[in-house]
Amino acid sequence: MRIKKFAKSLLGVGLAASMLVGCGSAGGAKSSGAKSGKGGATPTVTDNSKIKIGVSIWSSTDVLGSQCKTMIDEAAKALGVKVQYVDQGHVSEKVTASVEQLCAAGCQGIIICNSSDTEMTSAIKTCNDNKVYLSQFFRVISKDKNPDIYKAAEASPYYVGAVHENEVENGQKLVKILLDKGDRDIGLIGWEQGDATWLGRYEGYKKGVEDWNKANPNDKAKLSEPQYAGTTSEGGSKAAEALMAADPKLDALIPAGGGGDPLQGAIAAIERAGKTQDIDVVSTDFLPDLGERLANGSMAGESGGHYCDPLFSFLMVYNAIKGNYKDFAGKFNEINFPYLYVSSADDYADYDKYFVKQLPYTDDEIVEMSKMSLSDLTKKAASLSIEDAASRAK
């Protein structure tokens, strides 16, 4: 038996929201007692009380979704705008309906975490028809796999752009954590088969294993076919049980994502099976107790801390509504957002200090960011790290 030294966490917050979270000027509800500022009054901004921005999200109440909501609510408060949420569960018909619903509710801009690229065809058309600005978060349309949808976004005068992570790199880095620990028999849990982010991570996991096997022909690793869990804890639990039953020699597991709930279910299944010290787990989307789990061995490492991604999508749409960002037709704007990686309790301690106990941006900083050009905002997103947050907090 191997002794692991890892565990999970993140800002876990139970921000209650039903299928539609009501609109209104958002207050700064903060998870885990997070504080948004260092003291002092929020700077004055132009009256934005008539601006309403819609958020189409898979869930505003699970681990990652609630963190995103906390960050967006804080931005809405700092800028004095209204925000309205629709939880769509990454069900395609609900994703497309959410855009229609938010347009009908009078939103001048919408940020969306869609499931598949195909949903963006309807989303873009709906926003074009209603003259509503649209930006993606955690997602980008694939130019190679869906060129027609990409061209529709590029041609739209209302599609502002996309904020997203490098998912292939993310997958490779997580697999490397496991391979460096000596794991060679890796089980894989996905959430939805056609999800664009899942497909990027899956490509990275496979590439990481392929690269290892080429370099180490006498010490090869294998990656299972994915078991799909949806976005629920129960789904993650059943998928983990199926993988353990199919392969008694399984020594590592990757619950790929889905908001954090599938990961929680998978860990619970491993604990019930008494295999916490036998199966290393890595994943994406930090959990509320990550520090403890990195210490007790139920997690070997994790990528996450990306809940600020939608903040930048929000600021893109905000600036479009204000008339600060213009002439979107003919361009496809992208902001690449960095993941944070932790593989020890010590790694997590600093994350907890600057991303959990307080938000990484103060209200003053959010207001200043809202005045940046798109180019400068892109650079600002790329610079976010634990070290960056620590330096600004001093």
Side-chain angles (χ1 to χ4, degrees):
M1 286 214 212
R2 294 185 310 283
I3 303 295
K4 304 179 199 166
K5 45 181 179 180
F6 307 109
K8 322 175 174 182
S9 86
L10 231 241
L11 315 154
V13 93
L15 297 168
S18 55
M19 175 66 178
L20 176 65
V21 179
C23 60
S25 191
K30 302 173 186 65
S31 63
S32 302
K35 297 179 181 178
S36 65
K38 307 167 194 170
T42 299
T44 303
V45 296
T46 307
D47 180 20
N48 292 323
S49 60
K50 293 183 179 180
I51 293 178
K52 187 198 295 188
I53 297 175
V55 182
S56 172
I57 189 170
W58 71 96
S59 170
S60 58
T61 59
D62 71 2
V63 177
L64 179 59
S66 62
Q67 294 161 356
C68 293
K69 185 178 186 299
T70 297
M71 190 72 255
I72 294 168
D73 284 350
E74 192 63 36
K77 179 172 73 70
L79 298 173
V81 305
K82 297 175 182 177
V83 63
Q84 181 163 327
Y85 296 82
V86 176
D87 290 9
Q88 24 84 339
H90 277 167
V91 177
S92 285
E93 56 268 29
K94 291 182 179 180
V95 173
T96 55
S98 69
V99 179
E100 297 169 0
Q101 187 174 354
L102 290 167
C103 286
C107 295
Q108 298 105 314
I110 295 170
I111 66 171
I112 183 171
C113 181
N114 55 294
S115 176
S116 67
D117 283 358
T118 55
E119 296 155 359
M120 293 306 295
T121 300
S122 172
I124 291 166
K125 184 181 185 305
T126 298
C127 286
N128 286 346
D129 290 346
N130 289 275
K131 296 182 171 56
V132 171
Y133 293 104
L134 178 67
S135 178
Q136 293 174 272
F137 64 97
F138 296 145
R139 297 292 185 268
V140 65
I141 298 167
S142 172
K143 185 177 183 178
D144 297 328
K145 296 176 182 176
N146 295 294
D148 291 342
I149 303 173
Y150 186 93
K151 287 178 183 176
E154 195 174 36
S156 169
Y158 292 97
Y159 180 85
V160 185
V163 184
H164 64 99
E165 290 68 36
N166 186 332
E167 297 299 351
V168 176
E169 178 184 75
N170 178 34
Q172 289 176 275
K173 286 187 174 182
L174 288 176
V175 161
K176 189 174 187 305
I177 290 174
L178 294 175
L179 296 172
D180 287 347
K181 286 179 62 64
D183 300 313
R184 299 292 182 267
D185 196 343
I186 305 168
L188 181 58
I189 299 175
W191 63 98
E192 300 292 346
Q193 293 191 40
D195 186 278
T197 294
W198 150 249
L199 292 173
R201 290 179 194 171
Y202 188 22
E203 182 182 343
Y205 304 140
K206 290 188 290 185
K207 183 168 177 29
V209 171
E210 288 167 4
D211 289 349
W212 172 270
N213 289 343
K214 287 179 183 177
N216 301 275
N218 298 320
D219 185 22
K220 289 188 174 182
K222 69 175 183 177
L223 180 71
S224 78
E225 290 297 313
Q227 289 279 330
Y228 289 96
T231 57
T232 67
S233 177
E234 181 182 8
S237 179
K238 289 181 177 179
E241 289 171 353
L243 287 166
M244 288 187 290
D247 185 1
K249 295 182 180 180
L250 194 76
D251 61 8
L253 190 64
I254 305 175
D261 285 357
L263 172 58
Q264 290 179 315
I267 289 174
I270 292 170
E271 290 174 343
R272 288 196 301 271
K275 294 187 175 183
T276 298
Q277 301 304 320
D278 300 317
I279 298 177
D280 289 323
V281 179
V282 297
S283 186
T284 299
D285 302 338
F286 288 171
L287 294 179
D289 56 351
L290 181 56
E292 296 171 18
R293 290 193 175 281
L294 287 167
N296 70 24
S298 55
M299 284 295 294
E302 193 154 18
S303 60
H306 53 308
Y307 68 87
C308 291
D309 172 315
L311 167 66
F312 288 85
S313 187
F314 190 88
L315 292 175
M316 289 168 74
V317 164
Y318 168 81
N319 273 289
I321 295 169
K322 297 280 286 185
N324 300 329
Y325 297 172
K326 302 177 181 178
D327 303 323
F328 303 111
K331 296 185 293 188
F332 193 101
N333 297 309
E334 294 182 50
I335 291 181
N336 284 289
F337 197 82
Y339 274 116
L340 306 180
Y341 295 87
V342 298
S343 57
S344 72
D346 288 342
D347 288 347
Y348 183 77
D350 284 338
Y351 174 82
D352 181 67
K353 183 175 182 180
Y354 298 111
F355 285 77
V356 178
K357 290 185 169 62
Q358 64 184 42
L359 296 175
Y361 297 112
T362 67
D363 286 0
D364 291 23
E365 288 171 326
I366 291 170
V367 172
E368 288 306 311
M369 288 160 61
S370 75
K371 300 174 183 177
M372 290 180 177
S373 66
L374 183 55
S375 175
D376 286 343
L377 192 66
T378 300
K379 293 174 184 175
K380 185 71 173 177
S383 71
L384 184 62
S385 66
I386 295 174
E387 293 76 16
D388 168 61
S391 68
R392 288 184 289 102
K394 292 177 180 177

